[in-house]
Amino acid sequence: MPSTTHAAVVHSFDAPPRFEAIPLPEPSGNEVVVDVLAAGLHPRVRSSADGSHYTSDGVLPLVPGIDGVGRTADGGLLYFVLPDTAFGSMAEQTVIDRRRAIVLPPGTDPVAVAAGMNPGMSSWLALRSRIDFRPGSSVLVLGATGNAGQLAVQIARHLGAARVIGAGRDPHRLGLLKDLGADEVVGLDGDLAQAADVDVVLDYLWGEPAQRAMSALLRARADRSRPLAWIEVGSIAGPDITLPSFLLRAANVTIMGSGQGSVSTAGILGELPSLVERITSGALAVDPLPVPLDQVEAAWTATVEPGRRVVLVSGSGHEDRSTGA
C-alpha cells in the first residue's frame, strides 16, 4: 500500500483546505521524501488553492504550497521549490526534486526562510534578472506596506539603490518603512510627483492604483526620454489596467512582468543561495507568524497584520526554530 501523510487538502476552490490524511506520491528519479518543517502561506499559494492562478489546471484534490524547508532522511536541511504540482509543501511530508533544492547552513531558522524566500524572491528576481539594475538607481515600490513590499524596500536598498520610495495607503505602516530603508514615503492617494523621476517601479498592485500612478509619474517626469522600467510583480488591486496609448509615446517607459515564466527555472534556482544567505544572516528582516499545520483552516481565514507572513509548521518545525538541528 502507498504511504500516507497528513496535509492541508483542497477539495473545493471556494473553501479552505482541510487537515487530513492523504496518499504520499512515490518518489522517482532525483526525487526524495522530506519531512516538511515549514511552508509559507503566500498569496501565490492562495491563488493556486482557489484556482485563480494562471498555472492552475483545475485538478482537485490538491495540496497547496510551492516551497518550504524540509529535512531529508539523513538529517540534511533543505530549502526547496516545487514545480506546479497537485501535491505541494503544506504537508507533514512531501516529495521534492533535489535539483530544485539547496542545502541550508547549520543554525538556519526554517520558519524565517519559509517566510522570506517567496516574497523576497519577487523583488530580488525583478532587480537581478529582469533588468540591468545598477547601484545608484532610484526605485519606487507600489504596495510597499505588505510583506513582499516591505522586503522590496529592503532589497532595493541592499542591492545599491541610492533612493527608495515606498507607496501605500496606510500612513502608520508607511511610516515604518523608513526603518527598513525607505528614503521617502507617499500615499497612493497623494501627490506621486515626488517619485516621478525614479528609474524603476516595482508594482505589487496593478489595477486602478497602478493605472493612476503610471499616468501621474509619466506626465510629471522632468525628462520623459529618461528610461523607466515598470515591473509588475503582483496584482492585489486588480488584474487589469487601461493604458492610454499616448503614454507609451510620451515617455520612455518599458512595462514588463516578473514571475513564473518570465524568468527561467534555472534562473530562479540560481538566485536562491544569495537570497537565503541574506535572510539567514539577518541582512533582510522578516516577520513570520508560525501556525501548526493542523490549524490550516483557521490560518487560511485569519486576519494577519500586513508585513507578517503565516508559516505552517509541522512535526518538529516549530521546536527546531533557530537551531537547524
Side-chain angles (χ1 to χ4, degrees):
M1 293 183 62
S3 300
T4 61
T5 189
H6 283 83
V9 184
V10 176
H11 291 280
S12 170
F13 287 130
D14 57 6
R18 299 198 305 261
F19 181 75
E20 59 187 49
I22 188 171
L24 183 68
E26 194 71 27
S28 62
N30 293 292
E31 294 178 336
V32 296
V33 174
V34 295
D35 295 327
V36 181
L37 302 182
L41 179 48
H42 315 303
R44 165 71 173 83
V45 174
R46 291 182 182 275
S47 63
S48 294
D50 66 18
S52 65
H53 195 263
Y54 59 86
T55 63
S56 177
D57 58 11
V59 173
L60 292 173
L62 68 84
V63 175
I66 57 171
D67 68 343
V69 176
R71 181 181 289 114
T72 61
D74 60 7
L77 197 65
L78 304 175
Y79 170 74
F80 61 86
V81 178
L82 295 173
D84 294 315
T85 174
F87 202 102
S89 58
M90 292 184 170
E92 292 177 340
Q93 291 182 306
T94 195
V95 175
I96 70 167
D97 187 330
R98 284 297 299 258
R99 296 170 299 181
R100 299 172 65 96
I102 60 173
V103 177
L104 296 174
T108 294
D109 179 349
V111 177
V113 171
M117 285 297 288
N118 177 268
M121 191 60 70
S122 62
S123 54
W124 187 267
L125 284 176
L127 296 177
R128 298 255 295 188
S129 299
R130 295 296 285 141
I131 61 173
D132 181 18
F133 183 74
R134 300 182 179 182
S137 299
S138 53
V139 178
L140 168 66
V141 181
L142 279 181
T145 56
N147 186 269
Q150 287 184 359
L151 277 168
V153 168
Q154 297 180 66
I155 286 170
R157 177 66 77 200
H158 185 78
L159 293 179
R163 181 183 178 216
V164 181
I165 303 172
R169 293 197 185 280
D170 188 297
H172 172 69
R173 293 169 188 150
L174 281 173
L176 300 177
L177 294 176
K178 293 191 175 181
D179 290 335
L180 299 176
D183 298 288
E184 305 162 49
V185 296
V186 59
L188 289 176
D189 296 323
D191 183 8
L192 288 171
Q194 69 189 76
D197 293 319
V198 297
D199 301 300
V200 181
V201 176
L202 293 174
D203 179 7
Y204 287 89
L205 301 177
W206 207 236
E208 189 269 339
Q211 182 176 311
R212 286 191 297 103
M214 193 178 298
S215 179
L217 264 64
L218 296 182
R219 291 169 184 266
R221 289 174 76 77
D223 178 3
R224 292 190 183 183
S225 67
R226 177 178 174 179
L228 171 64
W230 192 291
I231 312 177
E232 192 270 334
V233 289
S235 54
I236 61 174
D240 306 300
I241 68 168
T242 298
L243 179 62
S245 61
F246 79 88
L247 287 179
L248 297 178
R249 300 191 299 271
N252 184 6
V253 58
T254 300
I255 302 172
M256 70 190 79
S258 183
Q260 192 174 351
S262 60
V263 181
S264 69
T265 298
I268 294 172
L269 293 173
E271 292 293 341
L272 295 182
S274 296
L275 184 55
V276 162
E277 191 279 326
R278 274 29 173 229
I279 293 173
T280 57
S281 70
L284 300 176
V286 297
D287 188 12
L289 177 62
V291 177
L293 178 63
D294 61 8
Q295 297 179 23
V296 61
E297 286 188 72
W300 209 264
T301 57
T303 300
V304 180
E305 181 182 355
R308 303 203 75 185
R309 178 56 49 94
V310 171
V311 176
L312 296 176
V313 295
S314 59
S316 58
H318 199 183
E319 290 77 5
D320 282 354
R321 191 170 184 191
S322 300
T323 68

